């Protein structure tokens, strides 16, 4: 609990409209998109300026009060989940677009600006903001930067880190730093590069200058229905092998199609493996590429292929894909979205294994994923009402991540580690690797008050024993020797 | 206390006697793998010896480095470890030359989409440590967008794997980002995993010339705003060493299928600006390497894209030549000569002030021997902390990072103690 003095100091900084302490209102902030974990904050502060954020963090440092920054709370890994005794700093009152610089292709925004609104601000001039997480109509840029958010179009355009030029950051001490620069290659260490994706554990960005991208001349979306996920996955490999670089390649399985259809009626063909491919660029180039993609789809046994007939049709196709997570609610009252990454070539094998694991557990898993990147989003469906089912669902989703690591992949491609996957970190990284990351953290946050108990495995949350954690010796990893 | 005279005897057991050599009082050790690098580092750190990691030694003048006792050469770590081409990634050891890496990847029609300086001798580790990039950055981005993971050895000998081997990974801090451009001051890179691209198949190169860069500016802007599949867009200022050109040239590289007829669109754009489109073969007529003359001060400057043409002409007026990417990275040289009684270092300093005023930065990459003493006497090294942030806090933060990674200042100490932050 916060002392009365501290609360009144906070009140002085943000004013009565910027401080929430009533229990019923605090409930709104007890979890983010990962609803399986909940913890009420001590207070919620809604600052309006960078100066207010500085003042808040100075107090946090002086009184060793942990803080958790929060945008729209759409994160899927528990990044905005309060820590015991922490305050939450929300950015719903810092939603201004500060500057649009079309000549240099950049825009400066506050952290509470919604992702899609960045594109809205520059669309008239023929630009867009490329990173497009599925939640882009509600999620904020501050959260995107914290998580290094991705999205379907990252295959061609890169992640959030590719598109942030400069950030004004309040360090946990309350000091203000400018990381990066509006010009390329700021001198010194790339502190901005390491800050992006640090999940709020290094400080809080209160102003960000983003790169905007020229809208392509033409965009074409193709749908191909396959009798199996493997055939769809093979098509993706063939497209890559042909040297093509579509702007997005997505695969959905039958269950995901059913859910999307029920939610937004995108009129997908019903099949076991639906491939969505988007190509963009100069008009003539797009036509040629689309033909090549269709040819490869047919070669791999596509039952049905079609392309978007117009802009409305294209947007509807994407609406269905982006609604997939939320639509999972139509299949089951509760679900966990996972975010593992695997080398693209192992897709068919890994998907089969996931199906087998789900069967053995008696749970349903539906798959929607960024096939071009090998970024899987298995959605584990369960009912919290059934005793023990939530625990089994969490366990299954963690074992899916282990499988991803075993194929040489990662436990998260775009959702972040947060609270959810911190115990899996020591499955992916050796102690020395994690200790190296901690050196970065100590430089930024020596008091460990910025979103503590996230990202790194802790003895309290992960237990002293490791979950079968095993890091292969380099000799073994390179295939020179085997362990029996 | 360890005697420097018998240092070779201590280093020999770590890497083998034949891989320890003395060169001008510096002991050059050449470990064969990451474990041996760690052994050398552990030893050096413990005994307060300073270490400089090297590869092809092409860019050692970048960053005002102090004397060291040990040069740790990575040239024996020169293998392409893995190239799972269907996953569009590769893992390569730090001492592999850029050219060898690209030749290996080309067997499957792929490449790391980056064109650094001196590819036949520059190594993967050195390219990463200096964050080098060339014209291809226009289309593909810089190393920040290409490095997926790294194996690094910290000053105390700790071996850490950072990042991953898949194209998408946000698990934990992106430590490789911190290594790119850190000039070997935080850790030694021993292995790098890159994301790859398919080699461009329909590359077409063009050159448009004019007496000044400002004359080319509207065309450059028009290309940036167009839907052309531009792969590189590079301004060459004061290119008198090109036989046929005296003035400025805009180099344009397109990568589009011939049926897309983009060259015709480009031709029309040139006509509208009163310029003539020239066709080229497949090679850049001259490149950044040409700027690195021993008798010239060579700098790297950064600026907002809108100032590119203006600074090209600025450099030209001051008797320098430049190669500038349209997105705002400039390489320029100023031959060592007195011009109207103005010393060349004064010109560079003025340029630095003007670039900073325009929101950019300047880094000195090479100073002729004749000017070394004058350069060393500058009150504050313009290429370091003083050119960085609006507040001093980012410098403190950078120093805190250095302190965490290398508390004994073992790795690549800088010549100027006050300039603890390296240049990029």
């Amino acid at each position: 609990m916060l002392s009365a003095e501290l609360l009144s100091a906070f009140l002085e900084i943000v004013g009565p409209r910027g401080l929430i302490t009533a229990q019923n209102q605090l409930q709104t902030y007890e979890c983010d998109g990962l609803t399986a974990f909940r913890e009420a904050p001590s207070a919620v502060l809604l600052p309006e300026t960078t100066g207010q954020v500085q003042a808040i963090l100075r107090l946090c440092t002086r009184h060793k009060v942990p803080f958790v920054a929060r945008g729209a709370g759409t994160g899927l890994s528990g990044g905005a989940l309060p820590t015991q005794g922490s305050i939450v700093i929300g950015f719903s009152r810092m939603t201004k677009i500060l500057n649009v610089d079309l000549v240099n292709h950049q825009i400066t925004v506050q952290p509470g600006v919604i992702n899609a609104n960045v594109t809205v601000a520059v669309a008239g001039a023929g630009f867009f903001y490329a990173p497009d997480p599925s939640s882009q109509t509600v999620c904020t840029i501050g959260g995107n930067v914290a998580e290094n958010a991705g999205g379907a179009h990252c295959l061609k355009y890169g992640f959030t880190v590719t598109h942030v030029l400069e950030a004004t950051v309040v360090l946990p001490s309350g000091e203000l730093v400018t990381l990066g620069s509006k010009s390329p290659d700021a001198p010194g260490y790339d502190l901005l590069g390491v800050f992006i994706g640090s999940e709020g554990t290094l400080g809080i960005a209160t102003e960000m200058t983003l790169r905007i991208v020229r809208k392509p001349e033409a965009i074409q979306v193709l749908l191909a229905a396959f009798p199996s996920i493997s055939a769809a996955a093979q098509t993706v490999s063939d497209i890559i092998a042909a040297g093509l670089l579509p702007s997005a390649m997505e695969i959905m399985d039958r269950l995901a199609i059913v859910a999307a259809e029920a939610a937004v009626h995108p009129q997908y063909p019903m099949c076991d493996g639906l491939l969505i491919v988007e190509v963009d660029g100069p008009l003539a180039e797009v036509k040629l590429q689309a033909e090549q993609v269709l040819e490869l789809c047919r070669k791999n046994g596509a039952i049905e292929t079609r392309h978007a007939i117009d802009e409305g049709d294209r947007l509807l196709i994407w609406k269905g894909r982006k609604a997939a997570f939320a639509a999972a609610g139509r299949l089951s009252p509760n679900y966990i979205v996972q975010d593992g990454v695997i080398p693209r070539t192992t897709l068919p094998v890994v998907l089969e294994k996931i199906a087998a694991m789900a069967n053995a557990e008696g749970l349903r898993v539906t798959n929607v994923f960024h096939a071009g990147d090998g970024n899987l989003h298995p959605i584990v469906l369960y009912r919290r009402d059934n005793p023990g089912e939530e625990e089994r669902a969490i366990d299954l989703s963690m074992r899916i991540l282990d499988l991803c690591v075993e194929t040489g992949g990662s436990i998260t491609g775009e959702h972040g580690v947060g609270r959810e996957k911190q115990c899996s970190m020591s499955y992916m990284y050796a102690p020395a690797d994690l200790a190296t990351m901690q050196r970065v953290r100590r430089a930024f946050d020596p008091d460990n008050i910025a979103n503590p108990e996230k990202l790194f495995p802790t003895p309290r949350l992960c237990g002293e024993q490791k979950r079968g954690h095993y890091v292969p010796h380099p000799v073994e990893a390179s295939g020179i020797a085997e362990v029996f | 206390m360890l005697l420097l005279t018998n240092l070779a005897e201590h280093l020999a057991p770590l890497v083998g006697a034949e891989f320890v050599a003395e060169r001008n009082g510096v002991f050059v050790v050449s470990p064969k793998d990451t474990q041996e690098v760690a052994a050398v580092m552990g030893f050096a750190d413990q005994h307060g010896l300073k270490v400089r990691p090297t590869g092809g030694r092409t860019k050692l003048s970048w960053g005002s480095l102090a004397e060291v006792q040990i040069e740790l050469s990575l040239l024996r770590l020169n293998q392409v470890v893995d190239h799972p081409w269907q996953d569009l990634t590769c893992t390569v050891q730090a001492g592999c030359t850029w050219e060898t890496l690209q030749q290996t990847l080309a067997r499957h029609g792929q490449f790391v989409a980056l064109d650094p300086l001196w590819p036949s001798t520059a190594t993967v580790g050195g390219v990463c440590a200096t964050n080098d990039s060339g014209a291809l950055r226009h289309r593909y981005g810089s190393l920040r967008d290409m490095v997926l993971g790294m194996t690094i050895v910290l000053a105390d000998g700790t071996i850490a794997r950072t990042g991953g081997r898949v194209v998408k990974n946000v698990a934990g801090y992106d430590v490789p980002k911190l290594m790119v451009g850190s000039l070997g001051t935080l850790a030694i890179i021993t292995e790098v995993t890159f994301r790859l691209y398919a080699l461009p198949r329909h590359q077409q190169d063009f050159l448009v010339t004019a007496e000044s860069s400002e004359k080319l500016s509207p065309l450059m802007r028009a290309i940036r705003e167009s839907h052309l599949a531009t792969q590189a867009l590079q301004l060459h200022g004061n290119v008198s060493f090109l036989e046929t050109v005296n003035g400025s040239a805009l180099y344009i590289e397109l990568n589009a299928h011939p049926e897309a007829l983009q060259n015709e669109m480009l031709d029309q754009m040139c006509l509208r600006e009163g310029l003539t489109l020239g066709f080229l073969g497949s090679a850049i007529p001259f490149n950044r390497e040409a700027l690195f003359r021993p008798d010239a001060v060579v700098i790297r400057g950064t600026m907002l894209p809108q100032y590119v043409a203006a600074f090209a002409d600025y450099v030209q007026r001051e008797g320098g030549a430049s190669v500038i990417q349209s997105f705002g990275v400039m390489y320029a040289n100023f031959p060592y000569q007195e011009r109207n009684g103005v010393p060349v270092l004064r010109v560079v300093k003025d340029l630095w002030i003007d670039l900073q005023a325009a929101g950019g930065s300047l880094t000195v990459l090479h100073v002729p021997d004749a000017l070394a003493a004058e350069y060393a006497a500058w009150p504050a090294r313009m290429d370091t902390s003083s050119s960085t942030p609006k507040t001093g806090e980012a410098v403190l933060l950078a120093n805190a990072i250095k302190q965490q990674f290398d508390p004994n200042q073992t790795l690549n100490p800088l010549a100027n103690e006050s300039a603890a932050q390296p240049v990029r």
Side-chain angles (χ1 to χ4, degrees):
Chain A
M1 272 299 100
L2 303 174
S3 68
E5 295 95 292
L6 191 53
L7 274 177
S8 71
F10 282 145
L11 184 65
E12 204 162 301
I13 296 166
V14 292
R17 293 192 55 212
L19 181 67
I20 298 171
T21 51
Q23 282 308 317
N24 59 336
Q25 285 177 290
L26 289 179
Q27 267 175 21
T28 311
Y29 298 88
E30 68 181 12
C31 70
D32 58 11
L34 180 75
T35 54
F37 294 80
R38 288 164 199 266
E39 175 87 48
S42 301
V44 175
L45 281 75
L46 307 172
E48 286 180 304
T49 64
T50 297
Q52 289 181 2
V53 176
Q54 283 186 270
I56 294 166
L57 296 202
R58 274 192 209 109
L59 280 177
C60 286
T61 288
R62 192 179 310 149
H63 299 276
K64 301 285 177 281
V65 174
F67 61 87
V68 178
R70 179 185 173 106
T74 55
L76 293 162
S77 59
L81 172 77
T83 299
Q84 207 174 14
S86 75
I87 60 162
V88 163
I89 302 174
F91 285 93
S92 52
R93 298 205 297 173
M94 289 181 75
T95 57
K96 288 193 200 71
I97 288 172
L98 300 171
N99 185 42
V100 179
D101 178 357
L102 295 177
V103 175
N104 294 303
H105 297 191
Q106 45 191 254
I107 181 169
T108 303
V109 303
Q110 289 188 323
V113 169
I114 289 170
N115 173 300
N117 287 354
V118 179
T119 292
V120 168
V122 296
F127 290 89
F128 72 111
Y129 177 62
D132 61 336
S134 294
S135 54
Q136 70 183 127
T137 54
V138 282
C139 66
T140 64
I141 294 297
N144 289 176
V145 167
E147 303 293 323
N148 190 14
H153 290 79
C154 290
L155 178 60
K156 178 170 180 179
Y157 291 100
F159 318 101
T160 298
V161 70
T162 309
H163 297 89
V164 183
L165 299 165
E166 184 182 89
T168 301
V169 171
V170 182
L171 295 177
S173 62
E175 297 292 347
L176 198 63
V177 293
T178 304
L179 306 183
S181 72
K182 295 184 176 77
S183 304
D185 293 348
Y189 299 138
D190 187 5
L191 298 172
L192 179 60
V194 81
F195 179 84
I196 295 167
S198 61
E199 306 191 13
T201 64
L202 300 181
I204 297 179
T206 58
E207 257 182 48
M208 285 146 283
T209 299
L210 313 172
R211 202 161 66 87
I212 49 174
V213 181
R214 198 90 193 135
K215 252 192 276 184
E217 185 179 19
I219 306 174
Q220 184 56 275
V221 172
L222 306 156
L223 282 180
F226 290 91
S228 70
I229 288 243
S230 304
Q234 186 55 47
T235 308
V236 169
S237 286
D238 289 355
I239 290 170
I240 295 286
L244 297 169
L245 183 61
S247 49
M249 285 199 274
E250 303 285 309
I251 293 180
M252 296 170 78
D253 69 7
R254 182 176 288 268
L255 215 45
I257 298 168
V258 170
E261 204 58 55
V264 296
H265 319 297
Q267 290 166 351
Y268 292 149
M270 192 51 67
C271 61
D272 282 320
L274 177 72
L275 175 64
I276 306 174
V277 180
E278 182 170 293
V279 287
D280 70 11
L283 186 60
E285 191 83 10
V286 165
K287 275 189 185 162
L288 289 163
Q289 287 199 19
E291 277 168 29
Q292 277 180 279
V293 170
L294 275 182
E295 184 52 42
L296 291 169
C297 289
R298 290 192 204 104
K299 200 197 95 191
N300 282 295
I303 315 157
E304 187 185 335
T305 58
R306 74 174 175 93
H307 54 77
I309 46 169
D310 57 25
E311 177 74 2
D313 193 21
R314 182 175 77 81
L315 294 177
L316 184 63
I317 288 171
W318 277 117
K319 196 174 171 192
R321 164 61 188 84
K322 296 200 172 184
F325 293 169
R330 307 227 171 201
L331 301 173
S332 175
N334 308 101
Y335 58 91
I336 299 168
V337 180
Q338 262 318 343
D339 182 39
V341 187
I342 56 172
R344 182 172 30 235
T345 40
T346 62
L347 261 175
V349 182
V350 169
L351 290 174
E352 262 174 43
K353 283 190 183 166
I354 291 176
M357 285 156 67
N359 278 338
E361 204 57 66
L363 290 167
R364 288 186 300 167
V365 175
T366 173
N367 277 296
V368 176
F369 52 91
H370 308 306
D373 299 324
N375 188 187
L376 306 179
H377 288 312
I379 303 171
V380 181
L381 308 170
Y382 68 96
R383 300 185 74 93
R384 188 178 287 153
D385 299 346
N386 296 347
E389 196 161 304
E390 182 161 81
E391 289 71 29
R392 285 195 296 127
I394 292 173
D395 181 62
L396 173 62
S397 79
M398 291 301 139
R399 282 190 285 126
I400 290 173
L401 295 187
D402 292 355
L403 177 63
C404 293
V405 173
E406 283 152 22
T407 63
S410 168
I411 57 172
T412 174
E414 54 189 16
H415 296 172
V417 177
R419 167 62 59 83
E420 181 198 35
K421 293 184 278 286
Q422 62 192 133
C423 301
S424 295
M425 281 289 277
S426 44
Y427 195 68
M428 180 162 169
Y429 294 111
D433 308 338
L434 293 169
T436 301
M437 291 181 197
Q438 288 282 11
R439 293 180 193 237
V440 177
R441 175 163 202 161
R442 281 197 298 273
F444 278 82
D445 180 24
D447 296 322
N448 196 27
I449 55 168
N451 209 5
E453 301 209 326
K454 302 283 174 67
L455 207 153
F456 293 102
T458 67
R460 185 174 82 80
L461 296 164
C462 303
E464 293 295 344
Q465 90 287 9
K466 297 176 178 175
R467 298 174 41 244
H469 302 157
Y470 173 67
V471 178
H473 188 273
V475 177
E476 188 194 342
S478 59
I480 297 166
E482 279 180 66
V483 171
F484 292 99
Chain B
M1 182 64 197
L2 209 60
L3 286 176
L4 285 182
T5 44
N6 60 11
L7 195 50
E9 285 171 33
H10 291 278
L11 292 169
L14 303 177
V15 296
E18 66 268 48
F19 299 110
V20 180
E22 197 184 339
R23 187 194 292 159
N24 303 326
V26 176
F27 288 89
V28 182
V29 290
S30 308
K32 72 170 189 295
D33 56 22
T34 300
Q35 279 69 26
E36 284 193 358
V37 172
V40 173
M41 287 314 300
F43 172 81
D45 198 48
Q46 215 174 358
H47 292 96
L49 301 166
K50 309 292 180 196
V51 180
R52 162 145 44 257
T54 62
R57 309 182 100 254
T58 55
K59 296 180 282 286
L60 285 183
S61 64
W62 297 24
S64 335
L65 302 169
E67 297 298 311
V68 294
Q69 288 86 44
I70 298 174
E71 178 178 327
L72 194 154
S73 169
L74 289 143
L75 288 178
R76 285 176 72 209
L77 280 80
N78 57 11
Q79 299 299 306
V80 177
V81 178
D82 193 16
H83 179 202
W85 63 273
Q86 287 175 308
D87 293 321
L88 282 176
T89 66
C90 76
T91 300
V92 57
Q93 290 184 313
C96 181
T97 67
W98 199 260
E99 193 172 84
T100 303
L101 170 63
Q102 299 288 40
Q103 283 167 352
T104 308
L105 302 177
R107 287 181 209 148
H108 286 287
Q110 297 178 350
F111 75 137
V112 182
L114 190 87
D115 44 354
L117 290 159
W118 307 293
S120 64
T121 41
T123 58
V124 166
V127 169
C128 289
T130 51
N131 190 24
D132 195 10
S133 62
L136 285 175
R137 182 168 171 178
H138 179 88
R139 160 69 184 84
Y140 299 98
S142 64
L143 281 168
R144 196 198 220 206
D145 310 305
M146 280 166 215
V147 175
L148 302 174
M150 278 182 184
T151 302
I152 56 175
V153 177
L154 305 194
D156 62 9
T158 302
I159 298 172
R161 282 182 316 125
T162 65
R165 283 190 173 199
V166 280
V167 291
K168 219 169 167 187
N169 169 31
V170 295
Y173 297 152
D174 201 344
V175 177
K177 297 266 184 298
L178 214 43
M179 298 300 138
V180 169
S182 67
L183 291 177
T185 60
L186 296 179
I188 296 182
I189 302 164
T190 62
E191 207 170 276
V192 185
T193 300
F194 291 103
R195 76 167 289 178
L196 307 178
Y197 285 90
L199 281 164
R201 278 187 289 190
H202 305 293
Q203 188 173 319
Q204 294 172 285
D205 303 274
F206 307 93
L207 199 69
V208 184
T209 58
E211 63 266 33
S212 75
S213 293
E214 286 291 4
K215 286 259 162 58
L216 293 166
S217 184
L219 175 63
M220 193 162 63
R221 174 95 203 271
I223 293 171
R224 268 170 63 80
E225 302 302 324
S226 75
H227 288 119
L228 291 176
T230 315
Q231 185 160 284
L233 186 60
Q234 182 167 274
L235 194 59
H236 299 235
N238 194 16
V239 290
S240 52
F241 44 88
L242 255 188
E243 276 179 23
T244 50
V245 184
N246 199 344
S248 296
L250 185 64
Y251 170 73
I252 307 150
E253 200 170 283
L254 296 181
N255 178 18
H257 197 280
E259 281 180 36
L261 299 177
Q262 293 220 329
N263 53 338
E264 290 185 13
M265 289 185 226
L266 185 57
D267 203 27
Q268 289 301 315
M269 289 164 79
C270 288
L271 283 177
R272 275 198 292 278
E273 305 295 343
L275 297 160
T276 314
L277 184 65
F279 291 85
L280 278 174
S282 59
I284 303 183
F286 64 89
N287 42 38
R288 288 185 296 148
E289 278 96 331
L291 297 170
F292 286 81
R293 289 165 40 175
D295 68 335
V297 176
V298 185
I299 61 117
R300 170 152 89 169
T302 65
M303 65 207 75
L304 288 171
Q306 73 182 101
Y307 301 125
V308 162
F311 275 106
D313 284 340
Y314 180 130
V315 170
Q316 182 166 354
R317 276 196 308 277
E318 299 294 345
S322 63
V323 173
I324 315 187
Q325 316 301 340
S326 64
F327 47 80
V329 176
M330 165 172 79
Y331 286 79
N333 73 7
F334 296 91
Y336 168 46
Q337 60 193 12
E338 304 285 320
R339 192 171 154 276
N340 300 330
V342 181
V344 62
L345 278 176
R346 170 100 56 86
V347 171
V348 171
K349 203 169 201 171
D350 288 345
L351 175 60
W352 167 49
I353 291 165
D354 291 339
L355 277 169
Q356 264 199 303
S361 68
L362 185 142
T363 304
V364 174
L365 302 179
H366 172 75
V367 175
D369 292 341
L371 295 177
E374 187 189 342
Y375 178 59
W378 281 16
R381 278 291 161 76
M382 50 201 251
D383 51 7
T384 53
S385 49
S386 53
S387 72
T388 4
K390 291 146 197 159
T391 68
E393 291 303 325
V395 177
L396 295 180
L397 190 56
N399 290 345
I401 294 270
K402 169 74 177 172
Q403 189 62 29
Q404 285 292 334
F405 275 79
D406 181 17
N408 301 330
Q409 306 287 319
T410 301
L411 274 168
N412 246 4
L414 296 174
N416 185 341
E417 282 303 316
S418 68
Q421 177 152 276
V423 295
R424 278 176 61 214

